[in-house]
Structure formats: structure tokens, C-alpha cells
Amino acid sequence: MYNFLVDILGNEIIVMIITASLPLFLFVIPFALVAVYAERKVSAHMQDRLGPMRVGYHGLLQTVADILKLFQKEDIVTEKADKSLFNIAPFLVFAGSYAAFAALPFSSIFIGTNTDIGLFYIIAISSLVVAGILMAGWASNNKYSLLGAMRSAAQIISYEIPTALVILSLVMFTGTLNLHTMSELQTSSFLNWNILGGSETGIIKIILIPFMLIGCLILFISTLAEVNRTPFDIPEAESELVAGFHTEYSGMKFAMFFLSEYANMFAVSAIITSVFFGGYQSPFGYLGDLAGIDWLVPIEQLFWFSAKGLFFVFVQMWLRWTLPRLRVDQLMTVCWKYLIPYSFVNLIIIGIITLL
Amino acid sequence: MNIYDIIFYLFAGITIISGFLVVSVKNIVHAAFYLLFTLFGIAGLYVLLGADFIAIVQIMVYVGGILILILFGVMLTNKIVDVEIKSESFQVIPAIIFIGILMGGLVFLMVTTNWENNELIIPLTTTKILGNIILTDYILIFELLGILLLIALIGAATIARKDKV
């Protein structure tokens, strides 16, 4: 894909800029539009309501209308706020969550940068989001914002540990940090997905499955906490903190926080997908292979990647409208007393099985 | 001047300018946030040198760990207690003298050293090589570092523990 674009345009830098912005315009923004609508519909149906119904068919254009409204809103900066930091913070948060998309393999021909340390890079770059959230909370000069930012940062830092441990055990198992290679290893059928013991065979595969399931569960819980979703949404707990670190933001800056929240949701779902559920690989075979049409395969892969990712996004929404919120101390207990020891044990066991 | 030179000067500029601002800005929170850009600039320089793993470790440890801790400390003390903490400069003249001497020494070394000038070969994967080196040649240092970190961890847990009185 990259070489193809270089042939057409003849300039590496222009091609780099285009490939870097492709996921943003082709994926993140449309995804956010759909996801906001889906969130409202999912929540509505779970509570036996109808949700948005008026704009377009069954409210399909509701999000577009909301975006248009946000564009027209006045950009309010509170007088006592630290103006420069207040203005930079939303962009820093969005840059952090968007940077993770650079290493996600959308299909076998499209990956932003096929770097050898993709997974490690994604874990590291998410710290930019923490810095941005702290910046937003502090610059707002509002108690609630500051408290929300502090809680958020503490939460993200704590839950980074189980995430990293589970990913480390899978890195030991597959022997690569490259998300592209990791997806390639889980090819041909869903029996080869890491959640089902990868490409191991026989008795080892059967022993591995329960530990892979535990690992997957830990990864899901801790990434859920990292993106500040319910039941871990104490940074923006509406009933205690108004809206947490983005209480003071309005108009497009608020929209940036919203966009980055949804981008983050997809990014962590994509990590779970690529690590445990075969990445862009189809669970069965490819229609393109059967019919002998080569160009169909990458499109199918893109379909499978987004379908699996969107499924986990749906699970996140489902949990949000099902579970109550945790208290701060419960949140820390879950992470430090349960998830971290379990993931350490899991890491050791998967390591031993891999060595066998 | 090709594209890599431009990128190098961009990152070097970010690093130096924000590094200067870290020490000269009065507002301590702003200084902490300028440090963010300094550390990112350095990570960018590492990437340009082909040390991608080091670059990511730089971001992970310094931005994700140390900088966030600094921010935590500064914010907890600065806004909750109503004391304005400012960073000020004192002992300017001795500082200038000693930094001048240090700078002169570094520049002298830089000019006089006979630098090896090899053709740049960037290995495709550094992670595997690094892992092998750490677990074979530098195993003692690696283990010692592990023990040091463990001691720090136990110490932190002991300090934070509630007294059982």
C-alpha cells in the first residue's frame, strides 16, 4: 500500500502524511460518530427506552446534529484558568489516544508503522493521555476537575501494570512485540487464536486455554479501567464530581475529549483483538482465497478487524449500563490485591508452559 | 539537507528550547509540562539514531512514570495548600562559573576526540539483540538493578504502611 502510494505521488513525505492521517479520517471520526449514536441506542434499549428517534431514520443523524451544535457553541475559558495549559490539554489528550492508532494493524496491507515494538509503543504512548488529563484538571482551576484528574491519573497508572503483565505473558508466548507478526501467527482458523492456545497442539493447547482465558479477562478489566469507563468511571463520576477533568470545557474542546474517549475505547478493544482474538484474521477462511480474487482478502481482513473491535466496544457499552460504579478504595483493591497478583501468577504459568 | 536533518533539528530544537524553559519559567507546573516536551524530544532523537526500544523506554519511564509523579507532587502541594510555589534562581554567579567549566570541558572533548565515522547501519530489530545482551553479558548488572528496585519497592511499601498501634 505504501509503495503503491509512493509510485502514484512520487514523494515519500506526502505519502507519509497521507498514511498517517488515513486512520483518522477513514476510521476514528466515522467510528466516533457511530459509537456515540450506538452508545445512546444501547443504553436506551437496555433501559427499555427508545433513545434518539427524531433526527433521521430512528435518530441516525442525531450525532451529526450534535456535532453541528458543538461547532456553533461559544468557546468558554474561565477567567481564573491557566489559559495556555487549558487550551493545549484537549489536543494533548487526543494526540495521545490517536498516536496509538499508528501501530494498529487494520489489515495485512495497512498498518501505520510496522514497527517491531508496536505493543510496547502503544502501552508507552498512552501515558501522554495521563499527562493531558492532569493538565486539563489542573488548568481548569476547579476542585472537581483537579480531583477527577488526580483520580484518573492514579487509576490509569495502577491499571497499566496488570495490562503490561498480561501483554508480557503473551509476548513471551508468541515471541514478538510486533502486532502485525502476532496477527500473522494466529492465521487460518479460530482454533489458532491465542485465546485458544495459539498454534500449539495436543495437550499443551488444552492446558493453556484456562490461563489464556484468565489473561484475557484481566486484560479486558484493566483496559476498561484505563479508558475510564464504567464501572471504573470514578474520574468523571457525574454524581460526585460533575464531569471530572472536563467539567469546565465547552464546545469543540469538550468534543475533543469525547472523541479521544471513543478513540481510546476502540484502541484498547483493538489491542485485545490483536493479542487474543487473531487480529485481522478471519475465523474461518477468506472468500477472496476461495474465489481467487487477491484484492478482496485485505478488505475482508479490515472487516474482521473492525467487527471484532466493535464487538468489544459493544461489550464496554453493555457493561456501562449494567454495572454500578466502584468506590476509589475498591478500585485500588481490585487492581493491587487481585489483578496484579493473578496476572503475575498467570505470567509465570504461561512462561513455564511456553518453555515446555 | 535531507528530511532526516530537518527532523533532527526539529527534535533538537524542541529539546533545547523546552529544556531551557524548564529551568527559567517561574510557574513550577509549567516547568513540569515543559519537561514533557523535553523528554519527548529526546525520545525522538533516539528514534532517529535507530534506538527505537530505548526511545519507547524513555517515554514509558520518564513521561509515564517520573513526570506523572512530579506532576502529582506539584499539584497536590500547589493548589490544595494555598501556598504559591515558585522556582527562583539564586547562586547565579557560581553556577555560571561551574557550568562554564563543565561546558568548556565537554566542548573540548567533543572537538578533540577522534570520532569513529562508520556508515550508518540501523538494525531492523533491536529488541532481540538487547534482550540477549542483557541476559548474557550484563546479567550481573541486570540482577543488581532488579534487587535495587525491589528494595525501593519494599521501602516505599513500609513507609506507606499504617502503624499497627
Side-chain angles (χ1 to χ4, degrees):
Chain A
M1 169 120 177
Y2 182 75
N3 294 331
F4 171 70
L5 279 174
V6 173
D7 280 348
I8 294 182
L9 296 163
N11 190 328
E12 275 190 28
I13 303 157
I14 296 175
V15 174
M16 277 181 191
I17 292 171
I18 289 174
T19 44
S21 48
L22 264 182
L24 178 67
F25 293 112
L26 288 186
F27 200 85
V28 179
I29 290 175
F31 165 73
L33 283 179
V34 176
V36 173
Y37 172 71
E39 172 116 43
R40 298 180 68 175
K41 274 295 188 191
V42 167
S43 70
H45 285 292
M46 283 195 181
Q47 297 167 342
D48 211 8
R49 292 186 284 121
L50 283 172
M53 284 297 279
R54 305 217 170 195
V55 193
Y57 176 72
H58 274 252
L60 268 174
L61 295 173
Q62 182 67 49
T63 333
V64 179
D66 282 345
I67 296 278
L68 285 178
K69 184 192 78 178
L70 280 172
F71 268 126
Q72 298 167 19
K73 281 221 169 181
E74 189 189 349
D75 177 34
I76 302 168
V77 181
T78 43
E79 204 183 356
K80 288 282 172 64
D82 192 320
K83 300 225 167 34
S84 54
L85 291 185
F86 187 84
N87 290 332
I88 297 169
F91 302 101
L92 198 63
V93 172
F94 182 69
S97 51
Y98 180 55
F101 279 76
L104 291 181
F106 283 93
S107 93
S108 57
I109 54 160
F110 186 77
I111 172 166
T113 64
N114 192 8
T115 165
D116 208 49
I117 45 172
L119 260 174
F120 195 33
Y121 162 80
I122 292 178
I123 298 174
I125 207 76
S126 65
S127 56
L128 201 58
V129 178
V130 187
I133 286 176
L134 276 175
M135 194 190 263
W138 189 83
S140 298
N141 202 359
N142 174 330
K143 293 185 192 114
Y144 297 119
S145 298
L146 185 62
L147 271 174
M150 290 290 191
R151 283 181 177 190
S152 173
Q155 176 177 332
I156 295 176
I157 289 173
S158 312
Y159 279 87
E160 240 171 34
I161 302 169
T163 314
L165 284 173
V166 172
I167 285 176
L168 184 62
S169 55
L170 262 293
V171 166
M172 271 188 343
F173 178 67
T174 52
T176 179
L177 274 166
N178 187 331
L179 279 168
H180 186 67
T181 324
M182 206 175 247
S183 306
E184 285 294 310
L185 286 172
Q186 309 175 48
T187 183
S188 82
S189 110
F190 65 93
L191 288 171
N192 284 338
W193 290 357
N194 281 337
I195 184 90
L196 294 175
S199 48
E200 302 280 346
T201 47
I203 189 81
I204 293 180
K205 194 180 177 84
I206 293 165
I207 302 172
L208 261 176
I209 290 173
F211 299 107
M212 287 296 182
L213 282 174
I214 294 171
C216 182
L217 196 64
I218 294 173
L219 185 64
F220 183 73
I221 295 172
S222 48
T223 48
L224 195 62
E226 270 191 64
V227 293
N228 296 336
R229 298 279 302 182
T230 325
F232 304 105
D233 72 334
I234 57 158
E236 43 196 273
E238 296 96 339
S239 46
E240 326 163 8
L241 292 182
V242 191
F245 60 88
H246 54 66
T247 304
E248 296 289 352
Y249 284 88
S250 62
M252 273 323 278
K253 285 178 195 150
F254 170 73
M256 292 295 279
F257 280 120
F258 222 60
L259 189 61
S260 87
E261 182 182 333
Y262 281 92
N264 263 334
M265 274 166 71
F266 186 80
V268 296
S269 304
I271 293 172
I272 300 174
T273 307
S274 330
V275 171
F276 280 106
F277 293 93
Y280 52 73
Q281 302 285 359
S282 147
F284 322 109
Y286 292 109
L287 213 65
D289 279 345
L290 278 177
I293 312 166
D294 282 340
W295 54 264
L296 201 60
V297 177
I299 297 171
E300 279 183 66
Q301 287 171 333
L302 180 63
F303 165 76
W304 283 112
F305 187 78
S306 357
K308 291 173 194 171
L310 291 178
F311 171 74
F312 284 105
V313 171
F314 169 72
V315 177
Q316 289 178 347
M317 290 174 181
W318 178 10
L319 286 177
R320 172 163 181 184
W321 300 99
T322 319
L323 295 176
R325 183 185 303 134
L326 268 73
R327 278 203 320 262
V328 183
D329 59 322
Q330 288 169 335
L331 180 92
M332 289 295 153
T333 316
V334 168
C335 180
W336 291 95
K337 289 196 179 159
Y338 297 99
L339 290 184
I340 290 179
Y342 288 158
S343 48
F344 259 117
V345 172
N346 212 37
L347 172 75
I348 293 168
I349 293 174
I350 291 181
I352 292 171
I353 297 176
T354 311
L355 275 181
L356 285 178
Chain B
M1 192 148 147
N2 63 16
I3 184 76
Y4 292 101
D5 289 336
I6 297 173
I7 297 174
F8 170 78
Y9 285 116
L10 191 72
F11 279 126
I14 290 173
T15 312
I16 293 172
I17 292 170
S18 55
F20 178 74
L21 285 171
V22 170
V23 289
S24 58
V25 160
K26 282 274 188 287
N27 186 328
I28 197 160
V29 177
H30 285 195
F33 280 118
Y34 280 122
L35 196 60
L36 175 81
F37 292 102
T38 316
L39 297 169
F40 255 97
I42 293 171
L45 292 179
Y46 280 138
V47 171
L48 278 185
L49 290 172
D52 49 358
F53 190 79
I54 309 285
I56 303 298
V57 171
Q58 162 89 11
I59 292 177
M60 185 133 190
V61 172
Y62 285 96
V63 180
I66 293 173
L67 183 75
I68 303 292
L69 275 182
I70 292 175
L71 284 175
F72 247 69
V74 168
M75 285 177 180
L76 275 176
T77 46
N78 203 11
K79 278 268 158 105
I80 289 174
V81 185
D82 250 346
V83 185
E84 283 286 301
I85 301 174
K86 301 265 178 188
S87 55
E88 287 174 35
S89 10
F90 40 89
Q91 307 272 21
V92 179
I93 294 162
I96 288 175
I97 294 169
F98 280 103
I99 293 298
I101 293 171
L102 185 71
M103 189 89 178
L106 285 176
V107 169
F108 175 74
L109 278 177
M110 207 165 81
V111 173
T112 53
T113 312
N114 195 10
W115 295 100
E116 264 187 63
N117 221 341
N118 290 337
E119 196 60 42
L120 188 66
I121 307 161
I122 295 174
L124 269 179
T125 97
T126 49
T127 324
K128 215 159 208 161
I129 309 169
L130 265 176
N132 276 331
I133 290 176
I134 286 174
L135 286 180
T136 50
D137 294 356
Y138 297 99
I139 183 73
L140 182 69
I141 299 167
F142 180 68
E143 303 252 310
L144 281 177
L145 272 177
I147 293 170
L148 184 73
L149 288 175
L150 184 68
I151 293 170
L153 208 64
I154 295 171
T158 322
I159 292 170
R161 199 174 73 159
K162 274 183 206 142
D163 289 323
K164 283 180 197 160
V165 185

